[in-house]
Amino acid sequence: MKRIISMTLVLLMLAASLLCIESLAVPRVPTADDMGGYENVCLTYTYRRNGADNGRHYESDLLPYTAYLDKNGNIKDFFFDSYLFLPCMGNGPSGARMHLDENNPTKAIDWTDYVNDTFAKGANVDALESAYGKTKAALGDTKSKAGVFFTILYPGKKATSFGTLGGKSLNFSKMEDRKYAVKWMIDEQISLFNQRGYKNLDLVGFYWLEEYIAANDDKELLNYASDYLHSKGLKFIWIPWYKANGYDNWKNYGFDVACMQPNLMWLGFNDPMRVKSSVQLSEKYGLSMEMECDGRVYTDEYFARYLNYLDGGLNSSMMDSVKMYYQDGKTAVYYRACYSSDPQYRMVYDLTYKYAKKTLTQSDIDAVRPETVEIGYEVVNDIGRNNLKELGVDWLSVGKSYTGCKSFVDGNGADYQQVSGKELTDGIIASEELSTDWHAFHHSLLDKDGRLSVVVDLGEVRNDLTHFYAHFDNRLDFGIGSPLGVTLYVSNDGKNFRQIAVPKLIMDSTDSCIKHETAPISARYVKMSFGLSGGSFVFCSEFLIGAKKAGYVEPSEPEESTKPEESKPESTSKPDETSKNNGGDENSNGGNEETRPEGSVSENDETLDNSAPESVSENNASEGDASENGGNSENNEIGVWLWVIIGAALLAVIAIVIIVIVKKRK
């Protein structure tokens, strides 16, 4: 009897230990088993209504994706095993953007037109059937099928007169109507898919188009969609941008697989740690990593960024997990790389193929890494936004008038559009994103030289100008790019300008600035001119022009030896990118706008990616880095240890009860 009791206690303790270990374990990253056997998903953007033939794909467009082609165009192997059809950033027939814009939400006509276009005869899904069949025939394969995912558009709650779907008039202020529309979107695409009788395609699941959780009650809607899809044996997938709202508890929304965007490709600066940080978060919360590249990847800098993605995937669990690939809309990067005569550009295609097949090695990457990458900026931990207005300088520009490119005020009614025309010289360094402190330079409002510029009139000729500063936003997740090639000019008459400097841009994770100091120069008018690098906007909050105060002496610091060791300041850590609201569709561009310019078509878009609706803005504080995500990670750890304590207590009670029983029997 004693032996049985002892064995029981041991087994109970082992079971409790296993439960504790399991509860403390890091979530498993998604694999092909979670995706019906598929693991390399190519994002296939369609529906570019302002482009040639609606941006549709045909067999020849998709062949370099279904097949791996050698440099002579011969089919050597399968490439991507699955394809996600989704719309570009353009507008539907109603004029609404296909991605979330609560101020101008999509209508029924947009939904029906998009779905019908996806199944356009001979294009898109039809073309995939044909291209995959051609690949199978060349490889002598009769069994393989390409996985297919379709998209669920976002039912914006302000669409109170959405229109009619399936004979029902819908008002999206009602949750039941939003659910009806989501179900219609699923059923309609399933029906069209089944009607075609595809032999080479396998319908795997559906994708939630918005890349962040846009509103609190979206959880109910998403769980409804998830349950409905699961009832049909289909998967539900999601691709949030870097640290997007909801990324760290994605399973609670009913998704089967989530794949996070690192968004390095659209950062205003090349952050060598971004992919590593994204991978760590993905592994911590059980996501996979999206591969990303755009048309700039043929340049050394952006080729090096792409290698950073490959590095990050190779040296982590990401290469063995589900992989999703963003590479612009038609004609996209891998297509162009496949047929490129530039060896480096072609290498993008070849390395991606190896990555997809899990045969990529470190030597493959190192052998083609550019030796040097010329960049026109300096990356720092913190630009010191609060210290831009130095002591000892008279800021002569404050309160002065200026001319030049107008601020963009059309579109979504965001705060930055409520400008007074004094933003650049009011002396205020903006501290909040999209606030009224920003002057929004836009690519549709250029000067006669085709650049973005501003000219400040100091009111009189000054002979003592020494300091020139400007402060910019650096947030491609809102479509806000970095100024390119900032150049400073001065003039006495406002007509004849001479160049005085091309200062290097100084950037941190959310802000950037220029700083130029010189011996005193003479001028009344000061001009700043620059180009646009990524996104549709450059946001500038202040253009400061000053003169060093006569007789000013910099405060001296005590010699190092006189300072107590503990008084030395700690090194400044890089500010957390999500300490400010990330809601709004990188940034991108890190922008995609998927924090990136989605489907490459956004290069011509003239609308800023809208910030998250008010209903979610208060919740975006939960978005940060895992180490600072407060709520979720701390609560999870507290919950785990609470279960450990409860388990130990239960074991103690069981042991006591058994001992008492044994003693009584004696």
Side-chain angles (χ1 to χ4, degrees), residues 410-466:
D410 299 327
N412 58 14
D415 287 349
Y416 74 87
Q417 295 172 347
Q418 316 305 315
V419 293
S420 64
K422 300 178 181 179
E423 285 69 32
L424 291 175
T425 56
D426 60 6
I428 300 174
I429 304 296
S431 59
E432 296 182 6
E433 64 211 20
L434 304 181
S435 72
T436 57
D437 295 327
W438 297 102
H439 181 102
F441 290 96
H442 189 258
H443 69 71
S444 66
L445 300 170
L446 304 176
D447 63 19
K448 64 180 181 180
D449 297 323
R451 287 168 64 83
L452 300 164
S453 63
V454 58
V455 178
V456 175
D457 181 0
L458 297 175
E460 61 179 338
V461 174
R462 301 283 306 213
N463 299 313
D464 53 355
L465 303 182
T466 56

Side-chain angles (χ1 to χ4, degrees), residues 206-321:
F206 280 76
Y207 166 65
W208 185 248
L209 182 60
E210 299 314 318
E211 297 159 4
Y212 66 104
I213 302 304
N216 296 332
D217 57 357
D218 280 354
K219 184 176 186 298
E220 179 181 347
L221 183 65
L222 288 165
N223 281 313
Y224 169 81
S226 176
D227 291 342
Y228 186 63
L229 288 170
H230 292 160
S231 73
K232 292 183 170 295
L234 298 171
K235 303 293 184 181
F236 196 22
I237 65 173
W238 187 42
I239 311 178
W241 67 61
Y242 181 68
K243 296 183 182 178
N245 187 39
Y247 87 97
D248 51 355
N249 60 343
W250 58 272
K251 288 185 179 179
N252 292 338
Y253 297 98
F255 299 114
D256 297 295
V257 170
C259 179
M260 188 158 73
Q261 309 166 27
N263 298 139
L264 171 64
M265 193 59 63
W266 297 279
L267 275 185
F269 62 96
N270 188 9
D271 180 357
M273 299 305 294
R274 168 53 77 88
V275 172
K276 182 177 180 180
S277 171
S278 183
V279 166
Q280 289 173 343
L281 291 172
S282 291
E283 290 181 331
K284 178 171 184 175
Y285 295 110
L287 300 92
S288 61
M289 180 186 80
E290 183 182 60
M291 295 295 294
E292 300 168 314
C293 62
D294 69 9
R296 296 170 293 179
V297 76
Y298 69 88
T299 66
D300 281 352
E301 177 180 348
Y302 286 90
F303 181 68
R305 292 193 188 198
Y306 191 63
L307 295 183
N308 200 335
Y309 282 83
L310 295 171
D311 254 330
L314 174 64
N315 294 296
S316 70
S317 62
M318 295 295 109
M319 191 169 78
D320 294 321
S321 70

Side-chain angles (χ1 to χ4, degrees), residues 526-576:
V526 181
K527 177 179 179 179
M528 176 174 62
S529 173
F530 49 87
L532 180 62
S533 173
S536 299
F537 291 83
V538 169
F539 272 30
C540 183
S541 73
E542 196 70 11
F543 182 25
L544 291 165
I545 304 156
K548 193 173 184 65
K549 292 179 180 177
Y552 180 80
V553 179
E554 294 285 347
S556 60
E557 295 186 2
E559 294 182 5
E560 185 71 19
S561 60
T562 66
K563 293 182 179 180
E565 184 67 25
E566 62 271 19
S567 70
K568 294 180 182 179
E570 297 180 0
S571 60
T572 306
S573 60
K574 185 174 180 179
D576 179 16

Side-chain angles (χ1 to χ4, degrees), residues 27-337:
R28 178 181 61 83
V29 298
T31 64
D33 292 338
D34 302 299
M35 292 274 284
Y38 299 97
E39 62 177 324
N40 289 291
V41 186
C42 181
L43 274 64
T44 308
Y45 282 90
T46 66
Y47 201 60
R48 186 181 181 184
R49 296 184 70 253
N50 60 338
D53 199 21
N54 274 23
R56 293 171 181 163
H57 296 266
Y58 295 92
E59 180 188 290
S60 60
D61 300 317
L62 294 176
L63 191 61
Y65 299 91
T66 60
Y68 172 69
L69 305 180
D70 66 15
K71 294 178 182 179
N72 296 317
N74 300 312
I75 296 175
K76 308 301 290 185
D77 193 4
F78 289 107
F79 200 156
F80 298 102
D81 61 13
S82 44
Y83 300 80
L84 164 58
F85 288 94
L86 68 170
C88 291
M89 283 287 295
N91 299 333
S94 75
R97 197 175 64 139
M98 297 306 291
H99 289 247
L100 172 60
D101 180 352
E102 282 287 13
N103 293 299
N104 186 21
T106 52
K107 300 293 196 318
I109 189 175
D110 304 314
W111 289 42
T112 55
D113 197 52
Y114 164 67
V115 169
N116 290 334
D117 190 76
T118 300
F119 290 90
K121 188 173 180 59
N124 300 334
V125 188
D126 280 6
L128 180 60
E129 164 79 1
S130 177
Y132 205 79
K134 185 173 184 177
T135 303
K136 287 172 61 177
L139 297 173
D141 185 303
T142 59
K143 296 182 179 179
S144 296
K145 290 188 176 185
V148 175
F149 293 86
F150 295 122
T151 292
I152 301 174
L153 299 178
Y154 187 83
K157 291 187 290 185
K158 291 186 179 179
T160 55
S161 299
F162 175 77
T164 301
L165 291 178
K168 182 176 180 179
S169 180
L170 301 176
N171 175 357
F172 284 169
S173 66
K174 301 176 182 178
M175 177 58 75
E176 59 268 27
D177 282 9
R178 299 181 78 203
K179 290 179 179 178
Y180 176 92
V182 165
K183 182 178 181 298
W184 178 91
M185 193 88 191
I186 295 169
D187 289 342
E188 188 72 7
Q189 293 180 90
I190 291 175
S191 176
L192 290 170
F193 182 86
N194 290 337
Q195 287 174 25
R196 300 295 171 93
Y198 297 119
K199 297 179 180 179
N200 300 316
L201 306 181
D202 176 22
L203 178 54
V204 185
F206 280 76
Y207 166 65
W208 185 248
L209 182 60
E210 299 314 318
E211 297 159 4
Y212 66 104
I213 302 304
N216 296 332
D217 57 357
D218 280 354
K219 184 176 186 298
E220 179 181 347
L221 183 65
L222 288 165
N223 281 313
Y224 169 81
S226 176
D227 291 342
Y228 186 63
L229 288 170
H230 292 160
S231 73
K232 292 183 170 295
L234 298 171
K235 303 293 184 181
F236 196 22
I237 65 173
W238 187 42
I239 311 178
W241 67 61
Y242 181 68
K243 296 183 182 178
N245 187 39
Y247 87 97
D248 51 355
N249 60 343
W250 58 272
K251 288 185 179 179
N252 292 338
Y253 297 98
F255 299 114
D256 297 295
V257 170
C259 179
M260 188 158 73
Q261 309 166 27
N263 298 139
L264 171 64
M265 193 59 63
W266 297 279
L267 275 185
F269 62 96
N270 188 9
D271 180 357
M273 299 305 294
R274 168 53 77 88
V275 172
K276 182 177 180 180
S277 171
S278 183
V279 166
Q280 289 173 343
L281 291 172
S282 291
E283 290 181 331
K284 178 171 184 175
Y285 295 110
L287 300 92
S288 61
M289 180 186 80
E290 183 182 60
M291 295 295 294
E292 300 168 314
C293 62
D294 69 9
R296 296 170 293 179
V297 76
Y298 69 88
T299 66
D300 281 352
E301 177 180 348
Y302 286 90
F303 181 68
R305 292 193 188 198
Y306 191 63
L307 295 183
N308 200 335
Y309 282 83
L310 295 171
D311 254 330
L314 174 64
N315 294 296
S316 70
S317 62
M318 295 295 109
M319 191 169 78
D320 294 321
S321 70
V322 169
K323 298 171 285 292
M324 302 186 189
Y325 302 79
Y326 171 88
Q327 38 95 51
D328 283 351
K330 178 188 174 182
T331 53
V333 171
Y334 299 146
Y335 177 93
R336 297 196 297 272

